[in-house]
Amino acid sequence: MADLVSHPDEVKVVSRRFGLGAANLDRYLELDGYKAVQKALAMQSADIIEEVKKSNLRGRGGAGFPTGLKWSFVPKESAKPKYVLCNGDESEPGTCKDRLIFEHDPHAVIEGAVIAGLAVGARKAYIYVRGEYRYLSLIMQKAIADAYGRGFLGKNIFGSGIDFDVFWHGGAGAYEVGEESALMESLEGKRGIPRIRPPFPAVVGLWGGPTVINNVETLASVPHIMLGGGEWFANLGTPRNGGTRLFCLSGHMNRCGVYELPLGYNLKKMIYEVGGGITGGRSLKAVVPGGSSTPLFRADEIDVAMDFDSVAKAGSMLGSGGVTAIDDQTCMVKFALRIIKFYQHESCGWCIPCREGTDWIKKSLTRFHAGGGLRKDIDDVKYLAQNMLGRTFCPLGDAAAMPIISIVDKFRDEFEAHLEGRPCPHAKEGDAANALLPMLAH
Amino acid sequence: MRFSDAFEARFTEMLTHYPTKRSVLVPTLLFAQDEVGYVSEDVIAELATRLELTTLDVRNVMSYYSMLVTKPRGKYNVQVCTNIACTLKGGDELLSHCAKRLGIGHKGTTADGQFSLEEVECIGACSWAPAIQVNYDFHENLDVPKMDAVLDGYAKK
Amino acid sequence: MGTRGFGFGMADANITVDGKKITAPAGSLLIDACKNAGIEIPSFCYYPNLSLQGACRMCVVRVDAPKMPKLQTACTTTISDGMVVTTDSEEVKQSRKAVVEILLGNHPLDCPVCDAGGQCELQDMTFTYGASESRYVEPKNHKQEQQWSPVVFFDSPRCILCYRCVRVCNEAMDVAALGVENRGVSSLIVPNGGDHLDCEECGMCIDICPVGALTSGSYRYKTRPWEMNHVSTICTHCGDGCKTTLGVRSSEAGMEILRGDNRDKSGINDDFLCIKGRYAFDFANREDRLRQPLVRKNGVLTAVTWEEAVTAVGDKFAEVKQSGGVFGVIGSPRSTNEEAYLLQKFARSTLGTNNIDHQRTADFPAFVSALAGKPEMAGSMRDAYMVPAILLLGGDATDEHPLLAYQVRNNVRLHSAKLYVVNSQEIKLKRQAAEFAQIPAGTESGVAAFLAGDDSAVAAIATAITSADAWRALRETLRSAQNLLIAFSSDLQGDGIANIAKFAGSVSGAKVICLADYANSRGVADMGLYPDLLPGYASAAKAGLDLAGMSAAAQQGKLGALLVVGANPVYDLGFAADSLNNTFVVVQDMFLTETAAIADVVLPSASAYETSGTFTNTSGDLQLVKKAGDLHGTKPDFEIIVRIASAMGVDVSTLVPLGAGTTADMGQSRGAQSGEADRSAVYLQKQGLEARVSPFDAAALFDEIQRLVPGYDVSRMNLMAGNDVRTTTAGKAAALPASRGESLRPAHDTLFSSGSLGRYSRVLNSVAENRDSKLVEVAAD
Ligand SMILES: Cc1cc2nc3c(=O)[nH]c(=O)nc-3n(C[C@H](O)[C@H](O)[C@H](O)COP(=O)(O)O)c2cc1C
Ligand code: SF4
Ligand code: FES
């Protein structure tokens, strides 16, 4: 459904089969489908993990945790069944890549999940797809059914003597459910409230059994690693940051779209060359480098290699791969307000700092943007965000706090320009949003 | 309570996927809503019985998820994303345009029951912003004229 | 999760907190380890023995810096050897202050009118962390207060979402009537009925709420915590003996009870109370309480002075005695031990009759005799929470013995005790049962016989659910159980009890509890309110008339006088009203009951909450009953009996020993200092002088009870300190003839009824009506 784009700098690994009709099983098989899982079936589980470790694959869901290492945390022996859980809740604003994988290469997700299961000794995998992605759920369900039909799933897969089940599961609208422990709660039919950790899911996860949780893109990378080798994959990226990534370019860029670029690709280049520069000939003001939860870069801070470590060193996070460019006509107060509105709406409400902090900041910024701001609000907003940072029950509080702190710090002058009853200086004539943004009901 | 055969088949099948019954609850609520139009008291009671839960349990879970609603809404639920990528590309204008054209606000329903309007959070269409979903269908790279065309299309259906 | 706090049998871990070395079992929670070492860590959501939440973020501390980059929640951190913890740094204090600040943002500042004001944890935290200056200038989220039941109100803006109420209802009560709806800042605590609660109305959620979000229908907006006297006494309703702390205020009538709770967890019930202990004190404040003695004049009950009324009784009793008339005396299982002892002493020595009885709800004589010589086999209420295995035989403890049910349920939950339920019905505790054996109704004694070894008894108790084979297997399981606690209902009597005791005797460490219905059923049995048994179950030389005998005598016009203390024989003990036409009837009661209405003299008595003394609960735990205050015009039964005796011309010191040998440390019976040590008496005694106590002092008689009733030689100091002490009547008393027939009248109370007292409680009535009307509604559709 969504348009595909391409750019000469792309290195197509995960997106290799995009646009080639690989949702069809026969087509998938023609494109090297289900070879990786057969290769994995012939391997020792420890060797699978070793190969993935070698690949320097790091989680594409946001935190960038080394995938091979995560798998190695799953205990060998377990009284309870082990599980693989594929996180397809994709809800981080700015992110729209898992959607393309589901649409164009659903079997790669299945294959990746089975290989993960073989690596850790699980025999069941669940693929959780966010509720809004109905058409993708249907594609996924069909892919699973087709794989069962060929004996690639179910009893004695590929004659290996191993039984393996893969099931689809659907959400019903909740960003927080993308957080791994809330995801398990949701799958178990509960409210999406995260769990106390430790114990970590690798030890105590779904229904108490050890569970590996990986992002869609992470799992879709795994078959390629199996076939191409860990070293090959690692070499695509930078040290400790193996492979490529689907970057979702959005905002004020001329050629928005999802591009697969090697890790370490320069952000400035990404915006000006791959993304085709800023729309309308305007200039860049800020960039959200990894989904709405990451601290923003100012236009002069974007000469950064886009891998986990470099972006962290530059004071932000590679996050979920959502790169949003913001032009110089944009009101950063309004932008901060839109971000906090999202986190306020999506906070599960479990802990005090996140539940009350996001609500408070949202109310303050709403008033502030509408011209009712006080000078002390600027520091108060930052104070609240700082007191959420690192203090909440799960990282959603951090996700809400980090961009807010960075916007207040980096665009303080824009806040000041709103003071003393002045309306938003970026407002256009007749801009309804200037009076009050449309507000979500909760 | 009667659901469609397809619902029943999927429900029965899904129960076999998990070690606990209640695990099917979240997707099943959404499927039930697709059939009934909303999560009615009957749906709550029915699922509670089937999954050996209390109706309180079902309500607590249901009310957590933003796609699930307890009141009927229009035949076409127009969901306009105004999150970061969409707001930068005119999502707010789309929303106010829809509000004006349909004469309803956030979570409102037109008098003829054809349309509901909802401002929603990121729907995973950022690279193709601004985007909306009407029921489960995506419409992307919109502007006001295209938006009108989309609405016209549904109005004619 | 809940078991984590216990840490039994775990190795010790040495940790350092704020530079101080602490030792605690490895794996215990940091918050508990600190608390035990005197380092207080603030918390809202943490509550001992409920599941962990980590939700409020008040308990943050720094653990093992710099290895752990973030502050950690002490309520979810388990300790391990070598851990280094900082709880008092600026960083920690700042973080806690911020939580309070952020919380107060949306919190209504209605402390001046909030019920919780003065005992609100949020208020205390604000005080401690100095977050009183608010940065918040936004409008607050508002919502209307809701009434969820006659006793539970909810004011959601005050709620801080600590989930204590939800957990206590789910986990400790196993009722699951509360949940959380919506998410984020719209999250709401909600009741199971949509807009109302469908539950046991225990009120645990109200008392556990750290703020004023959940409030009590009976207490809300009536007063402030600091304006009440708080008196710890024992609930007057069922036989389990929960401690309830009454919040009392003086009023025109003398006093008014406003609240019952056990927030200080000082009793055998920890913080548990059922609806009766928490709310059903309201009978005491009814406007129709009798406050003036009544004497029948020209056929009409007429208000008179105490002097006149007591004289009328004394004269008439003396006359009946003179003329060799027959007396009958009926006591109450709600009287204190001292009152019961005095009443039987008065009957036997003053009136000269053994015609004395009470509403018996369990066969304690058989129980005591079955356990003769084996005091260690009598189980206590605390045992029910601690033993590894429990057999519940008959009855529905959830309704009839709410505390026992609570103890058992939480023992299973927190200590993984094994529960075996034998019942003809699928009672609620079946949910906690490791095994449930169903029997045909009325075959409890068959179970006892089978357990005791009579294999032929199995035919009568086998059902479709529990086959003969299953029974044999269950018996084996029970036989090999360690420290099994057996609690049986009044369905077992006489031989049945002997059999169960025989079986228990064969199981290593087994204990037994005999379940009876009223607050002091056990005590009045121990005190000898029987026609054939003296205090301590010693046989009377010649048995008098029991209830049936007295009723028959009245019917035949042979009952000269009947003294009824706190009972209502016309209503519920089988006395026909008109049979008493030729009997001189004296009633001591709180209300103009059916019996009082036909009496010749009615003497308004104090309730248990206006009385000092002791109660013995159904499992033999002896506890202090402390009076909360005086209601003008009434007198405790103890004093009334002494006054009657005096009016008959008896030297009262023969009834209540005055002088040498007595101590007055249980205080005067009346006045502000009542229930507390009588300091002057203590002083006098220290000086070697005689303490002159009042003849109305129940404590004076307790000395005699301690001396003369076997098993009551308990530690007086422990008792006075407000602790429960164990009586060992069962075990000390002499064996009785095995086939001493008992005619029991069990109350079969539910959570919402309480013998003949329940109908005077507005709370119980309104809850019961509320439920009935709902049933009707359901039935109508
Ligand atoms: C609030 C929150 C939302 C998240 N949402 C997602 C999501 O939508 N998809 C996803 O893959 N990971 C999400 N994550 C990250 C997951 O918790 C988890 O780290 C990830 O699924 C692990 O997979 P990976 O190691 O392959 O990245 C989220 C985390 C948080 C704290
Ligand atoms: S009502 Fe009270 S106990 Fe329940 S969550 Fe709210 S503050 Fe906590
Ligand atoms: S007490 Fe630890 S988070 Fe509430």
Side-chain angles (χ1 to χ4, degrees):
Chain A
M1 284 251 296
D3 302 335
L4 294 174
V5 285
S6 68
H7 186 271
D9 284 359
E10 278 192 286
V11 177
K12 299 216 176 204
V13 177
V14 172
S15 62
R16 220 186 88 204
R17 303 186 190 99
F18 285 12
L20 303 180
N24 175 296
L25 181 49
D26 290 319
R27 187 77 185 108
Y28 183 68
L29 290 171
E30 282 165 30
L31 298 165
D32 297 335
Y34 286 105
K35 284 193 182 142
V37 68
Q38 294 185 59
K39 186 169 176 192
L41 277 166
M43 289 166 74
Q44 296 294 318
S45 51
D47 295 337
I48 305 177
I49 296 184
E50 205 39 51
E51 203 60 41
V52 175
K53 276 189 180 166
K54 231 189 279 171
S55 77
N56 283 341
L57 172 64
R58 293 172 66 169
R60 305 303 194 225
F65 195 85
T67 305
L69 186 62
K70 187 190 273 189
W71 292 4
S72 70
F73 292 155
V74 175
K76 287 233 150 26
E77 303 300 326
S78 164
K80 297 203 167 154
K82 304 181 205 176
Y83 300 98
V84 172
L85 174 50
C86 171
N87 189 345
D89 192 57
E90 182 161 79
S91 309
E92 171 86 357
T95 319
C96 49
K97 64 193 179 62
D98 295 342
R99 196 178 145 189
L100 292 183
I101 300 175
F102 281 140
E103 182 175 338
H104 294 278
D105 207 4
H107 289 284
V109 183
I110 299 175
E111 222 182 328
V114 176
I115 294 168
L118 295 173
V120 302
R123 293 295 176 260
K124 273 188 175 41
Y126 296 92
I127 298 173
Y128 189 113
V129 184
R130 68 179 289 193
E132 291 86 346
Y133 286 178
R134 172 56 60 84
Y135 79 103
L136 300 169
S137 282
L138 299 176
I139 293 173
M140 228 27 253
Q141 286 173 59
K142 174 162 189 316
I144 292 172
D146 290 349
Y148 269 100
R150 300 283 174 91
F152 299 170
L153 292 176
K155 295 252 172 283
N156 188 18
I157 58 171
F158 299 100
S160 63
I162 289 176
D163 301 343
F164 205 106
D165 285 313
V166 173
F167 302 118
W168 158 92
H169 192 92
Y175 165 73
E176 172 62 358
V177 157
E179 192 282 335
E180 57 183 16
S181 63
L183 183 71
M184 297 191 291
E185 290 287 297
S186 179
L187 188 89
E188 290 182 13
K190 300 176 191 156
R191 296 165 57 76
I193 306 291
R195 295 179 181 174
I196 293 171
R197 276 154 301 163
F200 290 94
V203 182
V204 181
L206 281 171
W207 305 288
T211 302
V212 158
I213 302 173
N214 277 121
N215 171 257
V216 175
E217 185 186 350
T218 312
L219 289 178
S221 304
V222 168
H224 301 291
I225 293 170
M226 284 293 107
L227 292 180
E231 213 176 299
W232 159 76
F233 191 83
N235 287 336
L236 295 176
T238 54
R240 308 206 305 126
N241 291 265
T244 56
R245 238 204 125 153
L246 296 177
F247 287 100
C248 320
L249 271 46
S250 70
H252 296 133
M253 271 180 273
N254 284 315
R255 286 198 302 274
C256 289
V258 178
Y259 299 88
E260 183 165 13
L261 296 163
L263 278 183
Y265 196 87
N266 183 279
L267 177 57
K268 195 167 185 174
K269 224 171 135 191
M270 197 184 292
I271 290 169
Y272 286 99
E273 295 184 16
V274 181
I278 306 307
T279 43
R282 289 192 286 271
S283 59
L284 180 72
K285 184 191 277 185
V287 178
V288 179
S292 69
S293 63
T294 56
L296 279 70
F297 285 135
R298 269 192 322 252
D300 59 356
E301 294 172 319
I302 60 167
D303 197 1
V304 179
M306 289 292 273
D307 63 42
F308 292 100
D309 299 327
S310 307
V311 179
K313 223 169 113 201
S316 187
M317 289 166 70
L318 191 63
S320 59
V323 177
T324 307
I326 301 164
D327 73 10
D328 57 357
Q329 305 285 300
T330 309
C331 170
M332 294 311 288
V333 175
K334 181 181 163 190
F335 196 74
L337 170 55
R338 187 60 190 87
I339 287 182
I340 203 66
K341 223 171 86 170
F342 171 71
Y343 290 103
Q344 187 264 6
H345 185 253
E346 299 298 331
S347 166
C348 78
W350 185 252
C351 74
I352 292 170
C354 176
R355 178 182 74 236
E356 302 295 336
T358 52
D359 190 53
W360 187 337
I361 297 176
K362 173 185 147 180
K363 282 178 180 166
S364 291
L365 287 183
T366 304
R367 171 174 50 78
F368 198 97
H369 181 249
L374 308 169
R375 187 163 293 275
K376 82 179 204 43
D377 290 330
I378 307 173
D379 289 327
D380 283 355
V381 163
K382 184 172 168 189
Y383 173 84
L384 289 169
Q386 276 173 327
N387 279 293
M388 291 161 61
L389 191 65
R391 310 253 173 98
T392 50
F393 186 67
C394 90
L396 190 143
D398 303 337
M402 289 186 297
I404 298 300
I405 294 173
S406 78
I407 294 173
V408 174
D409 280 349
K410 295 181 180 178
F411 303 97
R412 199 180 178 97
D413 52 334
E414 294 201 22
F415 283 83
E416 283 169 356
H418 278 75
L419 279 176
E420 284 137 38
R422 275 178 296 202
C424 175
H426 294 276
K428 292 169 218 108
E429 200 65 38
D431 189 351
N434 191 36
L436 263 193
L437 281 173
M439 280 296 151
L440 291 162
H442 322 290
Chain B
M1 199 180 168
R2 290 279 307 161
F3 293 110
S4 69
D5 293 346
F7 177 99
E8 294 298 351
R10 185 175 38 220
F11 180 79
T12 312
E13 144 102 30
M14 276 189 84
L15 279 179
T16 66
H17 296 177
Y18 313 90
T20 63
K21 278 191 176 175
R22 75 176 292 165
S23 301
V24 306
L25 183 56
V26 175
T28 303
L29 277 164
L30 194 54
F31 288 127
Q33 168 165 299
D34 291 342
E35 302 217 333
V36 180
Y38 64 105
V39 181
S40 63
E41 285 296 312
D42 285 350
V43 167
I44 291 171
E46 177 71 20
L47 292 186
T49 312
R50 290 193 189 193
L51 303 179
E52 289 163 25
L53 298 170
T54 63
T55 54
L56 179 68
D57 277 329
V58 176
R59 260 189 209 107
N60 292 170
V61 172
M62 183 212 71
S63 59
Y64 179 92
Y65 295 90
S66 46
M67 291 174 75
L68 299 169
V69 293
T70 50
K71 301 244 157 56
R73 53 185 183 197
K75 189 166 163 207
Y76 303 110
N77 187 33
V78 181
Q79 302 153 76
V80 183
C81 174
T82 62
N83 211 305
I84 55 167
C86 289
T87 195
L88 293 176
K89 292 291 202 74
D92 299 333
E93 286 76 8
L94 287 187
L95 180 64
S96 35
H97 177 73
C98 290
K100 217 184 291 157
R101 170 166 166 170
L102 299 172
I104 49 179
H106 174 58
K107 295 205 169 168
T109 300
T110 53
D112 61 2
Q114 279 296 102
F115 288 100
S116 292
L117 183 62
E118 197 178 344
E119 181 191 9
V120 295
E121 296 298 359
C122 180
I123 51 177
C126 316
S127 292
W128 312 284
I132 66 163
Q133 266 191 300
V134 179
N135 298 346
Y136 291 108
D137 295 334
F138 283 88
H139 300 275
E140 297 163 338
N141 293 312
L142 296 177
D143 52 23
V144 168
K146 285 188 198 159
M147 182 82 221
D148 275 331
V150 169
L151 292 181
D152 289 342
Y154 283 101
K156 269 193 226 115
K157 267 197 195 171
Chain C
M1 290 264 185
T3 50
R4 285 226 205 136
F6 277 81
F8 284 135
M10 284 197 212
D12 277 346
N14 296 302
I15 64 170
T16 310
V17 181
D18 301 335
K20 199 171 147 188
K21 300 261 180 252
I22 290 183
T23 304
S28 38
L29 293 171
L30 181 55
I31 197 168
D32 289 337
C34 287
K35 191 170 196 164
N36 292 337
I39 300 167
E40 191 72 32
I41 293 185
S43 64
F44 288 122
C45 69
Y46 177 69
Y47 202 85
N49 293 331
L50 296 180
S51 61
L52 304 181
Q53 312 288 286
C56 72
R57 319 308 284 176
M58 266 315 275
C59 65
V60 288
V61 294
R62 176 130 318 264
V63 179
D64 288 346
K67 213 171 67 202
M68 305 260 247
K70 291 181 180 178
L71 295 176
Q72 302 291 311
T73 45
C75 71
T76 59
T77 303
T78 49
I79 64 165
S80 54
D81 219 25
M83 204 175 239
V84 178
V85 181
T86 311
T87 76
D88 59 356
S89 63
E90 274 316 305
E91 173 198 39
V92 166
K93 283 188 216 158
Q94 196 283 325
S95 182
R96 292 174 181 168
K97 173 179 171 181
V99 169
V100 176
E101 262 184 308
I102 291 176
L103 193 53
L104 283 177
N106 249 325
H107 195 88
L109 298 179
D110 60 352
C111 307
V113 295
C114 175
D115 271 353
Q119 53 180 33
C120 168
E121 295 178 31
L122 180 55
Q123 246 179 9
D124 296 347
M125 299 280 189
T126 309
F127 185 79
T128 309
Y129 291 95
S132 52
E133 195 187 310
S134 180
R135 297 165 199 263
Y136 194 84
V137 292
E138 316 303 336
K140 304 204 183 224
N141 303 337
H142 185 72
K143 251 201 144 80
Q144 206 56 37
E145 190 187 36
Q146 301 175 327
Q147 177 170 14
W148 285 348
S149 89
V151 295
V152 184
F153 281 71
F154 181 59
D155 191 356
S156 87
R158 290 183 189 154
C159 172
I160 63 171
L161 289 164
C162 65
Y163 317 109
R164 285 189 196 174
C165 51
V166 178
R167 283 175 286 157
V168 81
C169 187
N170 262 288
E171 299 167 17
M173 293 305 298
D174 188 27
V175 168
L178 292 173
V180 190
E181 221 159 76
N182 307 332
R183 71 175 187 221
V185 78
S186 316
S187 302
L188 263 186
I189 301 296
V190 290
N192 56 353
D195 60 353
H196 66 273
L197 272 168
D198 210 339
C199 71
E200 296 179 5
E201 309 280 0
C202 66
M204 294 288 285
C205 56
I206 297 173
D207 274 1
I208 209 169
C209 180
V211 295
L214 284 160
T215 54
S216 143
S218 64
Y219 169 73
R220 55 201 294 281
Y221 299 130
K222 284 216 177 117
T223 186
R224 316 310 316 273
W226 59 85
E227 283 174 344
M228 295 184 290
N229 259 334
H230 302 274
V231 183
S232 252
T233 189
I234 306 304
C235 171
T236 184
H237 293 282
C238 89
D240 289 358
C242 288
K243 188 177 269 189
T244 173
T245 299
L246 300 175
V248 194
R249 183 170 71 174
S250 53
S251 74
E252 261 173 56
M255 68 114 182
E256 187 187 4
I257 307 174
L258 296 164
R259 193 170 85 174
D261 66 47
N262 197 37
R263 287 179 200 232
D264 65 2
K265 309 181 184 212
S266 57
I268 51 178
N269 46 316
D270 198 60
D271 51 2
F272 172 79
L273 281 173
C274 77
I275 177 170
K276 290 183 259 191
R278 206 180 299 274
Y279 305 108
F281 50 75
D282 58 346
F283 66 86
N285 297 339
R286 276 176 73 108
E287 309 76 52
D288 57 354
R289 273 288 296 272
L290 294 173
R291 305 254 304 271
Q292 259 190 310
L294 306 171
V295 169
R296 192 168 295 281
K297 294 184 176 170
N298 302 322
V300 181
L301 283 173
T302 310
V304 299
T305 62
W306 271 99
E307 188 61 34
E308 183 180 343
V310 169
T311 307
V313 176
D315 289 351
K316 184 69 181 180
F317 278 7
E319 181 194 319
V320 173
K321 189 175 177 187
Q322 209 85 56
S323 62
V326 178
F327 279 104
V329 176
I330 302 175
S332 157
R334 285 202 164 93
S335 291
T336 61
N337 286 321
E338 293 75 9
E339 288 165 345
Y341 185 93
L342 177 67
L343 183 65
Q344 62 84 32
K345 191 175 180 187
F346 170 75
R348 292 184 161 113
S349 69
T350 307
L351 301 180
T353 180
N354 272 333
N355 300 345
I356 180 165
D357 206 348
H358 69 286
Q359 180 186 353
R360 312 176 198 181
T361 65
D363 192 352
F364 284 117
F367 178 71
V368 161
S369 130
L371 261 52
K374 298 170 226 150
E376 70 287 352
M377 276 182 61
S380 71
M381 256 325 136
R382 290 189 187 274
D383 287 332
Y385 180 62
M386 297 308 292
V387 295
I390 302 147
L391 167 63
L392 271 189
L393 174 52
D396 186 349
T398 307
D399 265 331
E400 297 160 3
H401 295 279
L403 173 60
L404 179 74
Y406 180 83
Q407 302 283 63
V408 169
R409 187 161 56 233
N410 287 291
N411 192 0
V412 172
R413 177 174 70 97
L414 298 168
H415 314 142
S416 310
K418 287 257 184 300
L419 171 66
Y420 304 92
V421 172
V422 176
N423 211 296
S424 57
Q425 306 295 318
E426 297 198 0
I427 59 171
K428 184 182 159 203
L429 278 166
K430 179 180 174 224
R431 294 191 214 160
Q432 276 72 32
E435 274 188 63
F436 171 72
Q438 193 155 29
I439 52 172
T443 60
E444 286 80 1
S445 59
V447 174
F450 174 72
L451 290 178
D454 176 2
D455 291 332
S456 67
V458 80
I461 59 173
T463 54
I465 291 184
T466 315
S467 67
D469 279 343
W471 270 113
R472 281 185 278 269
L474 179 58
R475 184 168 64 182
E476 282 320 303
T477 308
L478 292 171
R479 271 181 182 152
S480 58
Q482 285 293 312
N483 300 335
L484 177 70
L485 176 71
I486 305 174
F488 62 85
S489 67
S490 57
D491 298 303
L492 279 197
Q493 305 179 22
D495 291 347
I497 293 178
N499 278 332
I500 214 72
K502 182 177 162 202
F503 170 69
S506 71
V507 180
S508 130
K511 295 185 183 187
V512 195
I513 293 178
C514 171
L515 296 172
D517 288 338
Y518 295 110
N520 203 33
S521 279
R522 173 63 180 273
V524 303
D526 290 351
M527 296 306 122
L529 278 198
Y530 288 103
D532 58 337
L533 297 173
L534 305 178
Y537 304 93
S539 290
K542 181 171 171 287
L545 298 174
D546 61 6
L547 285 173
M550 290 183 235
S551 165
Q555 206 84 44
Q556 293 155 19
K558 287 188 192 149
L559 196 61
L562 180 66
L563 173 61
V564 179
V565 180
N568 190 356
V570 169
Y571 178 66
D572 59 7
L573 299 179
F575 280 67
D578 53 10
S579 71
L580 292 166
N581 287 346
N582 298 320
T583 305
F584 179 70
V585 179
V586 178
V587 171
Q588 301 179 201
D589 209 303
M590 292 179 275
F591 300 102
L592 195 68
T593 63
E594 287 79 353
T595 310
I598 59 153
D600 296 283
V601 181
V602 181
L603 302 167
S605 63
S607 76
Y609 297 142
E610 297 136 19
T611 302
S612 296
T614 58
F615 275 166
T616 312
N617 76 355
T618 192
S619 50
D621 304 305
L622 182 70
Q623 303 183 86
L624 208 55
V625 174
K626 280 197 199 168
K627 103 146 95 165
D630 292 315
L631 191 73
H632 296 329
T634 68
K635 291 184 188 299
D637 287 322
F638 194 96
E639 177 178 338
I640 300 173
I641 297 164
V642 172
R643 281 185 190 275
I644 293 173
S646 171
M648 289 173 71
V650 172
D651 172 6
V652 295
S653 68
T654 61
L655 276 180
V656 183
L658 297 164
T662 62
T663 57
D665 60 357
M666 282 180 71
Q668 305 151 252
S669 72
R670 304 183 67 75
Q673 295 288 319
S674 63
E676 289 173 23
D678 182 333
R679 290 186 199 93
S680 68
V682 172
Y683 172 80
L684 285 173
Q685 209 162 38
K686 270 212 115 155
Q687 309 307 310
L689 301 169
E690 185 175 300
R692 287 189 297 168
V693 292
S694 145
F696 306 139
D697 185 353
L701 202 54
F702 189 70
D703 285 330
E704 186 171 318
I705 293 173
Q706 286 217 284
R707 268 199 330 274
L708 298 183
V709 181
Y712 275 73
D713 48 349
V714 297
S715 157
R716 186 80 169 248
M717 195 159 72
N718 261 339
L719 180 67
M720 296 305 299
N723 298 327
D724 47 302
V725 293
R726 294 288 295 150
T727 63
T728 49
T729 322
K732 290 250 176 99
L736 288 167
S739 56
R740 179 187 161 277
E742 270 290 88
S743 50
L744 303 186
R745 290 174 188 273
H748 295 304
D749 276 328
T750 67
L751 279 168
F752 311 111
S753 68
S754 178
S756 54
L757 183 59
R759 57 189 178 137
Y760 296 105
S761 162
R762 242 175 229 128
V763 165
L764 291 183
N765 290 335
S766 59
V767 169
E769 269 166 34
N770 213 32
R771 297 169 76 84
D772 289 347
S773 66
K774 240 166 260 139
L775 288 179
V776 172
E777 271 170 41
V778 172
D781 8 278

